[in-house]
Amino acid sequence: MSAELPPQAALLDDLAASADLKGKVTQAWREFAGALAAAVPALAPGTHLDLALDPTATGTGDAVYGVTIEVVEDGKLLTLAVGNGSLPEGYRLDRHQIAALVALGWSPPGVVPGSGDEFGLIGSTTEAAHAAVTVTRTLRDVYGAPHPAFVTYVARDTHAAPVEIPALGTARPLLGKPGEGVVDLPEVDRDGDGEMSLADRVATVVARLLKTTPDALQVDSDGDIGIRSGSAMVFVRVRDNPPLVDVFSPVLTEVEMTEKLYLRLSELTNRMPIGRLYCTTDTVWASVPVFGRDFQATHLMLAVQVMTGLADELDDRLQGEFGGRRFFGEGDKPALKSGEDRTGMYL
């Protein structure tokens, strides 16, 4: 597969265009808030919209940090945010998080009628934009969701039956069965008029690997499919000219570009069976391109499997050697020279 690599200059240009990961994450949250603000006024009275951090993705075990928006009579909204009464020991909110909730406008548990052990907020559907911003900041800043892709949501009517609502950005709907709608690989490999586009074939392959449906994949505003792998984030991007699928990961950011680092990356690249390691500004990238012409699903499956394993291993190893920040490394510290200030992807 090494022969499929495009010229280095083209790859570096493409990676540079993706380097503002902090901006990508910020934009993803804006899109989530905007979609939420648009969806809430359309909910029928009695509908509950539950939003929560996915504990299997965030590593919070039995603790579920979530928010529920309920449309009550006359267009009123009752919004509840989980409090310590619903959280197991070891995962409860500290005083700083509680203060942050109050600063966002939440009333303490029990103050709003019907709130019980949860923080409450009263509003109306005409104030949906304000409620959406409050919910977004609560999920992101208080509960610690690193990206909307780690937020799940489901709307239910008065009989607890699921209700279909428009997609909330890159948050993940809980409707649908894993694997539903996935086509066979021979169908994905076909080229020709009337068949699936390259982007659709790529989405189908990735969905099959993740045991989900193409519609449930996490796709950002640039069209990149995001896949979490431990402390690393892997993106799958489709390019039309030339037809190419790039499976890449920002392995490390806010890292010093030293001769020792360049030598280490060169050594690691020479030992990799497929793919390359690159540096742009203060970020180390790993990339495995796959030809889009005469597309082979098995090639993309191999690239994704290699990259998800490689990125999660490399970011730990390189961070230990050179400092910097991993995509989901909350305890990481940058290794910057005195007086320097660089923007990275730390969330």
Side-chain angles (χ1 to χ4, degrees), residues 188 196-205 214:
V188 178
M196 300 171 70
S197 67
L198 177 59
D200 287 340
R201 284 179 283 171
V202 167
T204 299
V205 173

Side-chain angles (χ1 to χ4, degrees), residues 19-58:
D20 185 12
L21 289 181
K22 187 174 182 180
K24 287 169 72 74
V25 172
T26 299
Q27 182 60 29
W29 280 115
R30 287 174 179 165
E31 292 171 358
F32 170 80
L36 182 60
V40 168
L43 297 176
T47 303
H48 291 74
L49 174 57
D50 297 320
L51 306 108
L53 274 69
D54 183 351
T56 62
T58 55

Side-chain angles (χ1 to χ4, degrees), residues 43-106:
L43 297 176
T47 303
H48 291 74
L49 174 57
D50 297 320
L51 306 108
L53 274 69
D54 183 351
T56 62
T58 55
T60 54
D62 295 331
V64 178
Y65 299 93
V67 175
T68 296
I69 302 175
E70 179 185 359
V71 181
V72 293
E73 73 281 354
D74 300 326
K76 292 182 180 178
L77 294 179
L78 171 62
T79 308
L80 303 176
V82 70
N84 285 337
S86 304
L87 295 171
E89 189 175 352
Y91 293 96
R92 291 171 182 163
L93 306 173
D94 61 30
R95 60 187 181 89
H96 299 291
Q97 291 172 299
I98 293 174
L101 285 171
V102 174
L104 285 172
W106 295 98

Side-chain angles (χ1 to χ4, degrees), residues 87-177:
L87 295 171
E89 189 175 352
Y91 293 96
R92 291 171 182 163
L93 306 173
D94 61 30
R95 60 187 181 89
H96 299 291
Q97 291 172 299
I98 293 174
L101 285 171
V102 174
L104 285 172
W106 295 98
S107 296
V111 173
V112 172
S115 62
D117 292 333
E118 299 182 324
F119 289 82
L121 193 65
I122 292 292
S124 69
T125 53
T126 60
E127 302 170 317
H130 175 73
V133 170
T134 301
V135 169
T136 299
R137 293 188 61 186
T138 299
L139 293 168
R140 182 191 67 187
D141 300 336
V142 180
Y143 294 154
H147 190 282
F150 295 90
V151 175
T152 63
Y153 66 92
V154 61
R156 299 185 184 278
D157 61 20
T158 53
H159 303 290
V163 176
E164 187 174 353
I165 65 172
L168 301 182
T170 55
R172 295 189 293 115
L174 294 182
L175 296 176
K177 299 178 181 179

